[in-house]
Amino acid sequence: MNGTALHERPAASASWRIALPHSAAAVPVARALVRTALAELEHGADSDTAELLTAELVANAVEHTAGDAPIELVVELLPSGCQVEVHDPDPAPPGNLTLPAVTEPDPWQEHGRGLLLIRALSSSCGHRATESGKAVWFRLPTVPAQRRPV
């Protein structure tokens, strides 16, 4: 045996999957779902950061995919943190999500910071092909209870 008691198990995981409209209205719905999921389970991931990064992924999916097919939000809570995925019908990869940008975003422009935020604030991020397009995801670690804001 490795010294771990048989009754000690990691906390169970939970996941949610919801179709969202291919419109700007999807952003606040996605934020609310992530906030509710993390709060109801008293999950230790940073809810504010999870909401911000979810909003960026959903807004990018709405803005950069053609058509009006719904997008899908998948929130998975794990003992080590949370993973959020946004599925859309466009198979094209999402710019420089996993590589540092060649140039910094123009501070006078409203766009161009979403992927930078996702890279900077998540513990990991990426994208993968799906049967119907792609999934773009990020992960956040669980914040220890003694470091969580009150």
Side-chain angles (χ1 to χ4, degrees), residues 6-79:
L6 292 175
H7 66 278
E8 292 178 7
R9 296 182 320 160
S13 62
S15 64
W16 291 264
R17 182 178 294 262
I18 186 170
L20 299 170
H22 193 263
S23 72
V27 174
V29 173
R31 288 182 73 119
L33 177 66
V34 167
R35 179 175 49 251
T36 301
L38 293 176
E40 281 188 8
L41 292 180
E42 296 180 3
H43 195 272
D46 179 357
S47 179
D48 291 337
T49 302
E51 283 186 59
L52 172 66
L53 300 186
T54 299
E56 291 296 336
L57 286 186
V58 171
N60 281 352
V62 168
E63 183 176 344
H64 297 294
T65 59
D68 59 356
I71 58 175
E72 187 174 47
L73 175 67
V74 179
V75 180
E76 187 170 8
L77 303 181
L78 305 164

Side-chain angles (χ1 to χ4, degrees), residues 104-114:
E104 292 297 315
D106 183 341
W108 298 104
Q109 296 297 316
E110 290 183 19
H111 301 289
R113 291 176 193 78

